[in-house]
Amino acid sequence: MDIEESLRKKIFTVTAELAPVKGTDLSYVVSEAVKIKDKIHGINITDNQRAIMRSSPLALSRLLVEKGISPICQLTCRDRNRLALQSDLLALSILGVKNILMLTGDTISSGDHPQAKAVFDLDAITLIATAKTLISGKDLAGKDLIGKPNFFIGAAVNPGAEPKELQVLQTVRKIEAGAEFFQTQLIFDKQVLEEFINLFEKEYISAEKLNLLAGIFPLKSSKQARFFNSKIPGVKIPDFIVERLESSADPESEGIEIAWELIKSLRPFIRGVHLMTMGNNRALEKLIDRINLEIIKPNVSG
Amino acid sequence: MIGTSNKDIATIKELIRPYKSFFLIGCGDCATVCKTGGEDQVKQFSGYLEKDGKKVNGWAVLEEACDLRLAKKLFREQESAINKSEAILVFSCGSGVQTVAEITEKKVLPMLDSLFAGGIENLSNFRELCSVCGDCMLDITAGICPVTRCPKGLVNGPCGGSNEGKCEENTELDCAWYLIYSRLKQRDEIGGLRKLRKIKNNRANSKPHKIKLQKK
């Protein structure tokens, strides 16, 4: 079952994330995806994340489709103009990819090609609108398409970013442009998400529209927690979590436990989780298994 | 005002190395304000060249180096000194360098890098304000240009890296869209921002531009 279906059926939805390789050998990444394919509803494929050049997410997405796995192909506006973005969206549909995540894109200067030209001809909001235009059978020039794509369109949200009203505004603009589900930046504190959702519902519409998957990362150490707090905008790891990791004899396992407790506490506010485990496969498999065992199989909805 | 900076000294040494005699041209407008191409800077560089054993046949500061008429006038008046020179060093933005280069066969060398179109905060502080994009949206953005002041040039921002009013690319930089949002909120104009879905007209910025005033 893929993410569109699991969200429609109100099943607690789980997605993971994989990066394509800097090179042509995708065999390891594909095998990792195959291992978890029956336990999750979708796998995000990142697009030159953090402006570090890697093989195009179109290629890895297609390889996953061939293995019966449902990719969620990310596309950013940093490396492509509106022609290339439309071309790649059409190509994704041709390659059998339906689920897409439309992003603005990390800054060029943070990557390994800092002198490259940053495009930003479109941004997340107008890229979402572009995908909707293509679905309707036309391109941005108003010309008719020979064969229309069909997409399930996702976007990103950062509930911890301040001011929250501005994040809420951007989220509403994305929904009104056509976004159908959202994955959040990493959440470590239930209160952060709760405040965002309360404000969203107060200002605009029911949070049902968000189809929200909380971004979850199992921390490995207190040092890592402090690093995240200082480096990732909008990420706030509460002191008590840092202390738990610091005082634990096995901080990695403690981190997984903390992530699981967080997932349980977030359940009233979310439709599922987006596990960004960044290569920590042990944590990924433990969390996926626990979610399947204790949330999905008992048939309790998100 | 066009903001310029001096090329680094190693680059300049390399540029002038093959030549023994020079004529120097500065600019009395932007480069004077930036202290990169005014009379003081041109004289100082002239002194440096002579200490280095090079010959300086003359120098001048054009009122505006990008004015073809003034450049032609200078070349008439200083014909002899310029003819004796192996290279002409121009201390102005790229427009001035190209204006001079157009009217001579001599080697013309740029001494500055042109950085931005901007404003003067005070005589020591200049900031980039306008990207000269040809598709002005300052009416919608409360007078703050996101094309220029957002490092990604976003027209529907902010992006996911904006936090506490600062930019992810440079945390000392204010997020332009946070500034725009704050001002629109103050004026009760947020509704317009919610509806905004701008797609940039890049054709308005296709180069090279030309303006021809119609004679009435």
Side-chain angles (χ1 to χ4, degrees):
Chain A
M1 188 186 308
D2 90 328
I3 180 178
E4 186 176 10
E5 196 180 340
S6 64
L7 286 172
R8 187 166 34 87
K9 292 183 171 166
K10 295 194 169 25
I11 289 167
F12 193 82
T13 299
V14 184
T15 56
E17 189 165 288
L18 279 177
V21 158
K22 187 192 261 293
T24 56
D25 184 0
L26 290 168
S27 51
Y28 174 74
V29 168
V30 173
S31 68
E32 288 301 301
V34 168
K35 270 195 215 162
I36 56 174
K37 79 176 204 156
D38 295 320
K39 303 185 209 175
I40 54 167
H41 305 104
I43 305 184
N44 284 43
I45 307 301
T46 60
D47 177 21
N48 288 342
Q49 197 172 52
R50 288 196 328 278
I52 294 171
M53 190 286 295
R54 294 167 181 264
S55 58
S56 169
L58 272 68
L60 179 54
S61 294
R62 173 63 195 177
L63 294 185
L64 294 195
V65 166
E66 288 171 4
K67 297 280 186 197
I69 303 169
S70 167
I72 298 168
C73 188
Q74 296 187 185
L75 276 186
T76 78
C77 301
R78 180 196 52 240
D79 308 324
R80 302 178 190 79
N81 68 10
R82 67 191 73 170
L83 279 104
L85 285 165
Q86 289 177 95
S87 287
D88 280 355
L89 281 168
L90 293 175
L92 281 170
S93 190
I94 293 164
L95 295 170
V97 178
K98 175 175 57 73
N99 306 317
I100 53 178
L101 198 83
M102 309 281 81
L103 301 169
T104 296
D106 299 321
T107 125
I108 275 265
S109 57
S110 63
D112 61 3
H113 290 62
Q115 292 187 355
K117 185 166 187 166
V119 183
F120 299 117
D121 189 24
L122 300 179
D123 48 66
I125 291 171
T126 43
L127 183 57
I128 291 164
T130 299
K132 286 294 277 188
T133 300
L134 294 175
I135 290 170
S136 77
K138 289 199 187 287
D139 71 0
L140 285 181
K143 304 253 174 68
D144 290 326
L145 301 180
I146 299 169
K148 308 193 277 202
N150 181 33
F151 295 120
F152 186 55
I153 305 170
V157 58
N158 191 358
E162 297 290 346
K164 284 208 170 42
E165 294 91 348
L166 188 48
Q167 269 306 296
V168 168
L169 176 63
Q170 289 302 85
T171 306
V172 171
R173 287 169 82 184
K174 289 177 185 178
I175 291 173
E176 291 177 346
E180 298 166 279
F181 75 93
F182 285 80
Q183 291 170 329
T184 78
Q185 175 58 286
L186 301 179
I187 302 269
F188 292 96
D189 184 352
K190 174 192 104 161
Q191 198 181 342
V192 166
L193 188 59
E194 196 174 357
E195 281 171 11
F196 173 83
I197 294 208
N198 287 342
L199 190 60
F200 180 86
E201 294 199 315
K202 179 175 143 220
E203 300 280 324
Y204 296 102
I205 28 180
S206 161
E208 289 284 300
K209 280 262 182 188
L210 283 171
N211 272 332
L212 195 64
L213 306 184
I216 301 288
F217 178 84
L219 291 159
K220 276 182 161 170
S221 66
S222 53
K223 181 175 170 197
Q224 186 181 57
R226 286 189 200 100
F227 177 78
F228 276 23
N229 269 338
S230 64
K231 290 293 177 196
I232 310 181
V235 163
K236 296 171 194 121
I237 301 172
D239 290 336
F240 77 87
I241 287 183
V242 183
E243 281 152 27
R244 262 178 82 170
L245 290 163
E246 183 108 349
S247 54
S248 167
D250 180 4
E252 261 201 61
S253 296
E254 189 68 21
I256 296 172
E257 190 60 33
I258 290 169
W260 171 245
E261 289 169 20
L262 180 64
I263 292 171
K264 284 195 295 181
S265 75
L266 290 173
R267 281 190 63 196
F269 310 107
I270 57 178
R271 282 302 184 83
V273 291
H274 177 54
L275 301 171
M276 289 184 265
T277 46
M278 290 176 214
N280 183 354
N281 297 323
R282 174 176 162 247
L284 180 64
E285 286 176 38
K286 277 194 183 299
L287 284 170
I288 288 175
D289 286 343
R290 218 154 165 192
I291 291 168
N292 273 283
L293 193 63
E294 298 188 36
I295 298 180
I296 298 178
K297 287 213 169 85
N299 218 12
V300 182
S301 74
Chain B
M1 186 208 59
I2 301 209
T4 49
S5 68
N6 295 303
K7 283 188 177 291
D8 67 270
I9 195 69
T11 305
I12 290 181
K13 279 185 176 162
E14 221 12 68
L15 286 176
I16 63 177
R17 198 176 41 81
Y19 310 101
K20 295 191 201 63
S21 59
F22 301 90
F23 191 90
L24 278 55
I25 301 179
C27 178
D29 200 342
C30 315
T32 292
V33 175
C34 288
K35 294 191 165 56
T36 50
E39 185 170 320
D40 289 344
Q41 290 79 44
V42 170
K43 275 180 170 163
Q44 188 180 50
F45 198 82
S46 178
Y48 163 79
L49 285 170
E50 286 178 332
K51 270 210 198 88
D52 204 33
K54 310 267 191 189
K55 180 102 176 59
V56 177
N57 291 314
W59 59 267
V61 175
L62 289 172
E63 199 179 311
E64 268 157 7
C66 56
D67 191 333
L68 192 62
R69 304 164 303 168
L70 298 178
K72 282 180 177 171
K73 183 161 176 269
L74 174 69
F75 271 63
R76 282 195 301 269
E77 290 168 356
Q78 299 271 4
E79 190 178 349
S80 157
I82 289 173
N83 280 344
K84 279 191 251 174
S85 309
E86 287 181 353
I88 303 174
L89 307 181
V90 183
F91 296 76
S92 79
C93 74
S95 299
V97 177
Q98 292 187 71
T99 300
V100 168
E102 196 171 303
I103 56 177
T104 178
E105 292 302 317
K106 294 238 177 239
K107 185 78 179 179
V108 173
L109 297 171
M111 294 286 100
L112 310 180
D113 285 318
S114 309
L115 301 177
F116 59 81
I120 298 169
E121 232 178 313
N122 55 54
L123 289 180
S124 303
N125 287 288
F126 317 120
R127 64 264 175 84
E128 183 168 16
L129 291 174
C130 175
S131 294
V132 207
C133 73
D135 185 19
C136 192
M137 58 190 286
L138 286 171
D139 57 316
I140 314 174
T141 58
I144 297 165
C145 178
V147 176
T148 313
R149 297 181 62 178
C150 167
K152 297 180 186 175
L154 300 177
V155 296
N156 296 290
C159 72
S162 171
N163 188 36
E164 293 178 356
K166 297 291 183 188
C167 173
E168 72 169 342
E169 175 137 359
N170 171 6
T171 48
E172 306 207 345
L173 199 61
D174 291 330
C175 168
W177 277 103
Y178 169 77
L179 294 176
I180 293 166
Y181 165 80
S182 301
R183 212 182 255 188
L184 289 174
K185 192 168 157 196
Q186 241 177 348
R187 300 173 187 183
D188 207 17
E189 290 175 13
I190 288 295
L193 194 54
R194 177 170 167 176
K195 289 201 202 82
L196 181 68
R197 207 176 292 163
K198 181 160 175 75
I199 295 194
K200 201 116 182 63
N201 175 10
N202 295 291
R203 192 169 182 187
N205 196 25
S206 59
K207 298 177 193 307
H209 292 290
K210 216 163 179 177
I211 294 176
K212 189 174 179 67
L213 295 177
Q214 293 305 319
K215 289 195 167 73
K216 292 208 168 95

